[in-house]
């Protein structure tokens, strides 16, 4: 029995990040009383993220002050089922958010769209390369929603962010200087691309010289004064170099607080409760619907909030965790291959090349931004011929300039000792003369990588922790190696290069590690689709098993793209909200037949 | 904890060549010179100074202890980091694979205190040894080739190296990076960051000396790596 049962609300939203606040904005304007429950605190760009106090590498980048409190809740991890999973005792590989704005506060702001073929991955590969092409042990699936359907929503989110870039495909017309591989855009980016520093300029020149197609990384670090469709005012990025892992006190990085929350917080249909952690979603007696959610409020009381509609916006991993502890859907069983909740967990496959320049090149790495750089998409998705390659998927290759924060940015050439006099000299000599070229690759789902509940460890509320079982599939190891070799070719062709070295996180023989930061692009576990035996939600983001539960975030991705997830997942969010508003609310029911 | 020596007296008592040098031992809280450490005992502080200075020795730029790294570590161990505020501490603590990451069952302050004690016992001459001898001890530690009883060697090394590195390069408000030693060395201008009109000026050294969060003006404005400021 809860300590308290509150009056019913139309919609309860779990989580106050990009997806949750956007759902609240759109549904409140549709006349729905929305209650957002956020486990973290209130905070605001104007009062919480101002320089110079915000520019504290130790506090924010390394002690993770804006991020999830791992002391009270974490997950357990193992590479495979024969191991015992152990708690992720400190944040490392990924940095989930907590507090108003979620991870949208400390993101980089690289804003991408999926390729049209990405969304129909199985059909596309089978029709181009034959039915036998996709390796048998990969759960490659179509998304059940097409690029054409998502395009208006992808476009709208770019306008919410004031995205800066140059269209490579405007209404079907290909334009050099943009991403010539992208799907057709209905409109140009709302703002012009970012200025490019020397290192990414040299990368772009070398790539173009090789017949590749470099373009400025699409960015939610805004490049001029801008008002978004909700009326939010954004300002030009200062290239301050305290971007990812930090909040932006300059109102220049699009985030859910300034872009969405400020425009909805006074609305009569909107309410947000902080320090309110949802324990579980409650089901009706027949199990067909959810009745609301139970949460622990800021006074430590257990509160039941009844609602007609439940929106799950707690971040990919924690949406899956909530489903498992609430008994929503059917949990995936890797022994039998049945069940769907926790199935198709995937990640991101990273590799890279470190390039060291001669003294003439002075990079000033501290003049950076989270989405500053030059990129090629020639080896992403199916933009290149896979027929002889023996893998599916790909990745983009980018030369970025995020920051020169001196604890984290200490590039040294291969062979430098890890500490001591020689190390110290190498750090000094190379700090201003280095470039990283990153390979940001896709991640395929397999039957062996999945999420379920841990049998031993609990969070501070006594709930079992989420358990992650993951290692890089062989397909992705091959893909990553192939694209890394292409990045090496570009490095070799760059001017002023003294030496370079490459590395592949998914190299043969090295297991995925939970320690070094890779990306906060955890995907899958509650995937979208048209077949209830391989997806948790239908193509509208509605749970097959509980029709008044709608699911948001990267947990929907059947397999992970070679791109950063927020553009695609916000496209899906607006698509789901569109169907909620235009169809479901007037006539609540399953929007697809199972 | 015995007699409380002032931190200046403790570190000045070092006899080893590398840790005692022509450069003064500095830290951002000069006013603390006469105060004892918050967490460290004098023996621990002396041991840490020798250890940190093996990791970051003096050259044209200060060594770790000269840049206040021991003060930094003292403050960190006394604060939320040392108390385990950033770590999930629920037992049990079985050991796992390297991929499964940090699994130490002690809060960092205790882990490091016990680690230093075990190292001091195993390597009695460490503080007075030469750089080569100290380096070989730390190499063994870092390669997990060191018997510390119940304590895991490599995680201890990783923790100590991380703290040393952080102390050399973190904002001076944390007690290390005295006189912006670390920032001067690489050419990092610090917390006051506004580069809108500079980012696309290619190959031009940035002329401003470092400034930290509390607006302390930068050292001598020296441009590192022999770079000369050009017209900007
Ligand atoms: C360092 C970093 C860099 C990134 N860079 C990029 C990038 O460049 N491009 C890109 O596309 N993506 C990037 N991302 C990913 C991006 O931040 C996420 O995709 C995005 O924020 C996801 O939005 P969300 O609404 O799904 O979840 P979140 O933003 O994580 O919001 C979820 C919210 O739910 C709350 N919550 C969780 N559980 C509960 C509960 N039980 N009860 C109540 N509240 C709960 C959390 O506290 C959180 O505030 C980056 C992420 C990080 C960490
Ligand atoms: S780099 Fe630009 S967008 Fe990022 S935090 Fe700094 S000013 Fe904001």
């Amino acid at each position: 029995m809860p300590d308290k049962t509150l009056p019913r609300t139309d919609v309860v939203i779990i989580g106050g990040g990009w997806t949750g606040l956007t759902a609240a904005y759109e549904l409140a304007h549709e006349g729905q009383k929305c209650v957002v429950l956020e486990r973290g605190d209130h905070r605001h760009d104007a009062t919480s993220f101002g320089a110079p106090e915000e520019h504290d590498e130790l506090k924010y980048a390394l002690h993770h002050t804006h991020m999830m409190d791992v002391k009270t809740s974490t997950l357990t991890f193992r590479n495979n089922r024969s191991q015992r999973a152990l708690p992720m005792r400190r944040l490392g590989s990924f940095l989930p958010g907590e507090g108003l704005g979620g991870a949208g506060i400390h993101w980089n702001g690289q804003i991408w769209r999926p390729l049209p073929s990405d969304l129909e991955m199985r059909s596309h590969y089978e029709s181009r390369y034959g039915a036998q092409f996709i390796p048998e042990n990969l759960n490659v699936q179509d998304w059940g929603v097409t690029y054409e359907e998502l395009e208006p929503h992808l476009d709208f989110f770019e306008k919410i962010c004031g995205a800066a870039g140059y269209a490579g495909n405007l209404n079907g017309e290909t334009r050099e200087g943009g991403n010539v591989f992208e799907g057709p855009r209905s409109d140009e980016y709302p703002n012009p691309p970012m200025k490019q520093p020397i290192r990414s300029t040299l990368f772009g020149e070398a790539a173009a010289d090789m017949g590749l197609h470099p373009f400025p990384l699409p960015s939610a670090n805004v490049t001029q004064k801008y008002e978004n469709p909700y009326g939010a005012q954004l300002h030009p990025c200062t290239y301050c170099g305290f971007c990812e892992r930090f909040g932006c006190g300059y109102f220049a990085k699009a985030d859910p607080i300034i872009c969405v929350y400020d425009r909805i917080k006074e609305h009569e249909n909107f309410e947000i409760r902080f320090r309110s952690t949802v324990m579980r979603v409650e089901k009706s007696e027949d199990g067909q619907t959810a009745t609301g959610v139970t949460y622990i409020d800021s006074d430590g009381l257990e509160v039941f909030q009844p609602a007609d509609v439940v929106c799950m916006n707690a971040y990919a991993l924690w949406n899956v965790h909530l489903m498992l502890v609430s008994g929503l859907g059917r949990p995936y069983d890797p022994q039998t291959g049945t069940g769907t909740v926790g199935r198709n967990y995937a990640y991101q496959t990273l590799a890279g090349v470190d390039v060291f320049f001669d003294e003439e090149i002075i990079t000033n790495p501290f003049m950076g931004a989270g989405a500053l750089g030059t990129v090629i998409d020639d080896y992403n998705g199916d933009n290149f011929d896979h027929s002889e390659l023996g893998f599916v998927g790909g990745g983009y290759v980018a030369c970025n300039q995020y920051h020169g924060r001196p604890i984290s940015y200490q590039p040294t050439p291969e062979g430098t000792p890890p500490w001591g006099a020689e190390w110290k000299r190498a750090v000094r000599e190379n700090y201003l003369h280095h470039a990283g070229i990153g390979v940001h690759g896709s991640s395929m789902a397999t039957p062996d990588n999945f999420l379920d509940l841990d049998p031993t460890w609990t969070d501070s509320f006594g709930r079992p922790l989420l358990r992650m079982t993951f290692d890089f599939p062989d397909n992705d190891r091959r893909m990553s190696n192939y694209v890394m070799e292409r990045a090496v070719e570009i490095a070799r062709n760059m001017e002023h290069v003294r030496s370079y070295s490459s590395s592949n996180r998914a190299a043969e023989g090295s297991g995925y590690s939970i320690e070094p930061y890779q990306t906060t692009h955890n995907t899958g576990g509650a995937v979208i689709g048209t077949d209830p035996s391989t997806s948790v939600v239908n193509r509208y983001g509605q749970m097959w098993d509980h029709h008044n539960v709608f699911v948001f975030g990267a947990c929907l991705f059947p397999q992970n793209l070679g791109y950063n997830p927020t553009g695609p997942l916000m496209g899906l969010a607006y698509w789901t909200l569109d169907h909620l508003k235009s169809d479901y609310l007037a006539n609540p029911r399953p929007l697809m037949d199972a | 904890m015995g007699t409380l020596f002032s931190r200046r007296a403790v570190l000045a008592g070092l006899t080893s060549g590398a840790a005692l040098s022509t450069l003064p031992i500095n830290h951002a809280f000069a006013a603390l010179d006469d105060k004892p450490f918050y967490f460290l005992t004098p023996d621990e502080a002396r041991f840490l100074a020798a250890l940190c200075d093996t990791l970051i020795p003096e050259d044209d730029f200060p060594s770790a202890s000269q840049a206040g790294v021991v003060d930094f570590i003292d403050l960190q161990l006394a604060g939320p980091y040392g108390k385990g505020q950033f770590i999930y501490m629920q037992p049990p603590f079985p050991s796992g694979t390297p991929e499964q990451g940090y699994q130490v069952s002690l809060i960092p302050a205790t882990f490091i205190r016990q680690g230093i004690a075990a190292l001091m016992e195993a390597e009695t001459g460490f503080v007075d040894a030469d750089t080569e001898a100290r380096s070989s001890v730390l190499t063994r530690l870092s390669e997990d080739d060191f018997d510390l009883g119940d304590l895991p060697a490599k995680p201890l090394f990783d923790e100590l190296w991380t703290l040393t590195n952080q102390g050399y390069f973190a904002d001076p408000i944390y007690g290390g990076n005295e006189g912006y030693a670390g920032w001067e060395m690489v050419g990092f201008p610090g917390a006051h960051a506004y580069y809108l009109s500079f980012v696309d000026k290619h190959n031009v050294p940035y002329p401003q000396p470092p400034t930290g969060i509390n607006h302390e003006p930068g050292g001598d404005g020296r441009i590192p790596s022999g770079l000369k400021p050009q017209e900007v």
Side-chain angles (χ1 to χ4, degrees), chain A residues 14-20 37-40 43 67 94-112 244-245 256 276-279 313-316 318-319 322 370-371 463 517 520-521 552-554 564-570:
Chain A
I14 310 169
W18 267 125
T19 62
L37 300 173
E38 166 57 48
R39 66 180 174 183
R43 51 187 177 174
M67 298 153 198
F94 39 85
L95 301 171
E98 181 167 318
L100 186 61
I105 296 313
H106 61 268
W107 73 321
N108 289 61
Q110 305 179 14
I111 184 165
W112 288 97
E244 74 291 339
R245 303 186 178 212
S276 300
T277 307
V278 174
M279 292 291 106
N313 306 70
Y315 184 69
W318 320 128
N319 279 342
L322 274 171
R463 296 181 299 176
Y517 185 74
T520 311
H521 304 167
F552 297 80
N564 311 55
T566 310
L569 72 86
M570 286 304 291

Side-chain angles (χ1 to χ4, degrees), chain A residues 10-340:
Chain A
D10 294 327
V11 182
V12 67
I13 293 167
I14 310 169
W18 267 125
T19 62
L21 293 169
T22 299
Y25 184 100
E26 294 293 325
L27 296 171
H29 281 87
E30 198 63 23
Q32 300 291 303
K33 288 259 180 232
C34 294
V35 172
V36 179
L37 300 173
E38 166 57 48
R39 66 180 174 183
D41 281 310
H42 175 268
R43 51 187 177 174
H44 197 281
D45 303 45
T47 48
S48 314
F49 309 143
E53 288 77 9
E54 181 72 5
H55 295 172
D56 183 337
E57 181 182 16
L58 185 67
K59 181 173 180 180
Y60 297 107
L62 301 169
H63 289 167
H64 307 132
T65 303
H66 291 322
M67 298 153 198
M68 178 181 139
D69 180 11
V70 88
K71 190 172 169 38
T72 56
S73 183
T74 182
L75 47 68
T76 65
F77 162 72
R78 58 183 176 175
N79 281 123
N80 59 64
R81 272 196 284 151
S82 73
Q83 295 175 340
R84 178 179 191 184
L86 299 184
M88 175 178 78
R89 295 197 180 270
R90 300 202 278 216
L91 287 178
S93 174
F94 39 85
L95 301 171
E98 181 167 318
L100 186 61
I105 296 313
H106 61 268
W107 73 321
N108 289 61
Q110 305 179 14
I111 184 165
W112 288 97
R113 296 177 170 203
L115 297 166
S117 58
D118 283 335
L119 300 180
E120 300 166 272
M121 190 163 179
R122 178 161 286 277
S123 320
H124 171 85
Y125 272 89
E126 290 187 351
S127 81
R128 182 167 174 188
Y129 302 107
Q132 304 308 311
F133 188 78
I134 298 176
E136 225 173 71
N137 60 348
L138 298 185
N139 288 345
V140 173
Q141 293 176 204
D142 291 359
W143 292 47
V145 46
T146 65
Y147 178 81
E148 224 178 0
E149 289 170 321
L150 287 189
E151 201 286 330
H153 307 296
L154 296 164
D155 181 69
F156 189 71
F157 182 60
E158 287 166 356
K159 292 185 164 117
I160 289 296
C161 289
Y166 182 74
N169 182 338
L170 200 51
N171 293 306
E173 185 204 332
T174 299
R175 305 189 324 161
E176 288 297 322
N179 184 4
V180 297
F181 298 99
E182 67 183 351
R185 296 172 169 274
S186 54
D187 206 352
E188 179 54 280
Y189 286 94
N191 286 307
M194 299 189 81
K195 298 178 175 190
Q196 294 296 322
I198 182 64
R199 68 157 75 131
S200 52
T201 303
L202 291 173
F203 170 85
E205 286 168 3
D209 178 59
M210 296 163 72
L212 301 167
H213 301 85
F215 58 95
L217 182 64
S219 167
N221 313 141
V222 174
T223 48
Q224 59 189 9
K225 202 167 166 355
Y226 175 75
E227 183 177 314
N228 86 359
Y230 292 165
Q233 305 288 328
L234 284 94
H235 294 274
C237 168
T238 72
Y239 302 81
C240 77
F242 292 87
C243 198
E244 74 291 339
R245 303 186 178 212
F246 298 82
C248 177
Y250 300 100
F251 283 57
K253 177 166 69 174
D255 74 41
I257 299 179
I258 55 172
C259 293
V260 185
Y261 173 76
D262 279 351
R263 313 307 301 168
I264 185 66
K265 64 185 177 195
E266 309 290 350
H267 198 284
E268 56 176 2
N269 290 336
F270 176 83
E271 187 191 341
I272 184 164
R273 299 180 198 142
F274 295 105
R275 292 174 173 246
S276 300
T277 307
V278 174
M279 292 291 106
R280 61 191 171 271
V281 178
E282 304 289 358
K283 289 188 289 190
S284 62
E285 260 171 33
D286 66 4
Q288 297 297 301
T289 54
T291 55
V293 305
T294 299
Y295 68 97
I296 305 291
D297 76 4
S298 51
D299 297 325
L301 296 180
E302 190 172 284
V303 180
F304 176 54
Q305 173 63 67
D308 291 338
V309 172
V310 174
C311 290
M312 303 190 68
N313 306 70
Y315 184 69
L317 292 168
W318 320 128
N319 279 342
V320 175
H321 183 240
L322 274 171
M323 287 178 190
L324 291 167
V325 295
S326 308
L328 297 185
R330 273 166 308 134
Y332 173 64
D333 178 353
Q335 306 267 13
T336 59
T338 57
T340 50

